[in-house]
Amino acid sequence: MRSRAWFDTPEYYGFSRRAWLRSEGFSSAVFDGRPIIGIANSWSELTNCNANLKSLAEAVKRGVWMAGGFPLEFPVMSLAEMLMKPTAMLFRNLMSMEVEESIRAHPLDAVMLLAGCDKTTPAMLMGAASADVPAMLLTSGPMLAGDWHGRKLGAGTDGRRLFDLYRAGEVSEREMGEIECSLGRSAGHCTVMGTASTMAILSEALGMSPSGSAAIPAPDSRRLAMAEESGRRIVSMAKENLRPSQIMTRGAFENALRVHMAIGGSTNAVIHLLAIAGRTGVQLSLDDFDRISRETPWIVNLKPSGDYLMEDFYSAGGVPAVMRELLSQLDQSALTVSGLCVGDHTGNAECYNREVVRERARALSPEGGTAILYGNLAPDGAVIKPTAASPELLQHRGRTLVFESREELMGKIDSEDLPVDSRTILVMKGGGPRGAPGMPEWGQIPLPKKLLKEGVRDMVRISDARMSGTSFGTVVLHVTPESALGGPLGLVETGDEISLDVAGRRVDLLISDDEMDRRRAKWSAPEPAYVRGYGRLFLDHVEQANHGCDFDFLKSR
Ligand code: FES
């Protein structure tokens, strides 16, 4: 046991560490050789999505005590998608460092990671991968579906859709007030296939979360029972020394990518999976995403791409039902936190609702939910979610309206004299990891008010930003290299033509090479947004989106 190096030492510090811990009221029995299980808790009142993690931690502790372990809960940074400015993504790597160092510095034989909101799950997995002490991740679970006038609402997909109708004058002020208190009816993460649901599901597919755990609703008693059971199991993991490096293998990542495509998962998962893999030494690239996307059908019918919510997904059988459907394409030998392999868990999984989890033969689309684009506008790649896009816009050529910054866009987008029609391609610069900085979820550029009033509900939009997993539309994201580094996106001018060809996986700026060179020669880099502190560290070390936006010095060596 790793913890023995803290407590079973003959010199003064062995004695004093025991004495100081006993000042919390523990008897000498806790030092009888039992594993010490850390519970890394990202609970915070600032993070509504993680607000039930205190009760989950208590259930984990019950399980740990039952199995003969010694649980010790500790706080880690919490990242609130809705409240953090400029964006929670700016702090994902910081949280991952805190998780890694908290695990490494303390006398822990294994650690239970409690996460929920979008960035907390990848940050926990990144930190645990780097520390490589036995670890399991449990998520807060999806919140209850919103309920407004008998209509089920999914936060935030339906919130965005209704807000657009409000901007168009089709939903009243009073109705927006009602919707505001009807959207999220409990703690837990967003209940559509947004980033939090996607990352919870992918943690299960990776083998880092218990089979069947990801989709249990946050307030459901079965989530507490799952936490208690997981508390029992992690004590065995400590004894077996079953570490993340044995679970998060190449096969496990390929399984996660395949599940990502089948669920129509959030585009943010591309960045997070690349970053987690980077911590393990597994070589993953955008090309792996595109290859697996082409081979994997989209079969899970959840918003924003489909019709249902996470509660429906849980009732339909959850992740095991999806993996059963994909079984022939999965690495069934991949190990999971249970000590069993993927094939053992999913071979007999049942599906209880074939409208939510389709059979492969009735797939919603023969290809997966994420496509990777290249072209002279994105030499190092860009991402689009075809399942959440308008089919008629997936092949499109149009003139651009360019916004040099988010500020310019927000100042102009509602002008009645904006020079746009439904074929215009909206381009926004300055949304990348360094440019924004932090790569915020600005990529679903709001539609111009004058077009909303005309009934336009989608347009091609292109940026180097990310998009919330709860969003929808024909939106090209993560254009790399980003504009603030002098990537071709930074050279686009209003009136240029762009060609989008999702089937051919291309996005091209239709100007000559000479013109591109002329503009590049005139381009100058923006002033850095930070000159000190964490922001400066971020700017100096963050990698581009095609490498997961991790810090260069945190990658596995
Ligand atoms: Fe936390 Fe959506 S805001 S999961």
Side-chain angles (χ1 to χ4, degrees), residues 164-372:
D164 272 350
L165 294 178
Y166 167 66
R167 287 175 65 226
E170 293 176 29
V171 168
S172 72
E173 189 87 34
R174 180 183 58 76
E175 288 173 317
M176 273 321 282
E178 291 171 1
I179 292 163
E180 188 176 304
C181 66
S182 311
L183 206 52
R185 291 165 51 233
S186 74
H189 60 72
C190 293
T191 183
V192 295
M193 192 57 80
T195 306
S197 299
T198 301
M199 291 312 300
I201 289 169
L202 298 188
S203 178
E204 189 176 326
L206 266 174
M208 288 297 293
S209 294
S211 179
S213 66
I216 308 173
D220 195 308
S221 57
R222 289 167 288 189
R223 180 160 288 277
L224 293 174
M226 176 64 82
E228 182 188 295
E229 210 174 290
S230 303
R232 292 209 309 269
R233 169 61 197 153
I234 197 154
V235 175
S236 305
M237 283 180 71
K239 292 175 181 167
E240 294 159 13
N241 196 22
L242 178 53
R243 287 170 287 114
S245 56
Q246 294 163 275
I247 295 172
M248 289 195 275
T249 58
R250 172 90 204 173
F253 278 103
E254 293 227 357
N255 288 347
L257 259 62
R258 212 167 280 286
V259 169
H260 173 63
M261 298 306 164
I263 62 175
S266 162
T267 46
N268 288 322
V270 177
I271 289 177
H272 297 320
L273 283 174
L274 288 167
I276 298 163
R279 297 296 185 94
T280 64
V282 169
Q283 301 296 321
L284 212 58
S285 73
L286 288 181
D287 294 339
D288 292 315
F289 284 83
D290 204 56
R291 169 178 57 83
I292 290 177
S293 178
R294 288 176 189 273
E295 298 168 355
T296 311
W298 168 38
I299 57 171
V300 176
N301 187 11
L302 255 63
K303 291 180 180 186
S305 301
D307 302 316
Y308 294 92
L309 298 172
M310 283 295 281
E311 271 173 71
D312 307 307
F313 181 55
Y314 178 58
S315 302
V319 182
V322 179
M323 294 183 79
R324 168 83 191 269
E325 209 52 42
L326 303 175
L327 203 56
S328 60
Q329 291 179 297
L330 296 179
D331 180 347
Q332 297 182 39
S333 67
L335 201 54
T336 73
V337 285
S338 70
L340 300 172
C341 299
V342 163
D344 303 323
H345 285 298
T346 45
N348 297 317
E350 302 256 10
C351 178
Y352 306 103
N353 187 337
R354 283 301 185 185
E355 283 313 302
V356 179
V357 180
R358 296 277 186 97
E359 302 94 338
R360 297 180 67 101
R362 282 199 320 128
L364 293 148
S365 158
E367 290 194 6
T370 302
I372 306 300

Side-chain angles (χ1 to χ4, degrees), residues 89 92-93 126 270-276 542-551 555:
M89 183 63 183
R92 183 202 63 181
N93 298 346
M126 290 160 73
V270 177
I271 289 177
H272 297 320
L273 283 174
L274 288 167
I276 298 163
V542 71
E543 297 195 314
Q544 288 288 281
N546 60 326
H547 295 301
C549 298
D550 200 2
F551 292 155
K555 299 193 104 163

Side-chain angles (χ1 to χ4, degrees), residues 32 52-53 151 288 297 539:
D32 64 1
N52 62 333
L53 292 182
R151 284 162 67 183
D288 292 315
L539 290 179

Side-chain angles (χ1 to χ4, degrees), residues 47-50 79-82 116-118 155-156 188-190 196-197 470:
T47 312
N48 59 291
C49 312
N50 296 18
L79 306 178
E81 198 60 35
M82 280 297 143
C117 196
D118 292 14
H189 60 72
C190 293
S197 299
T470 65

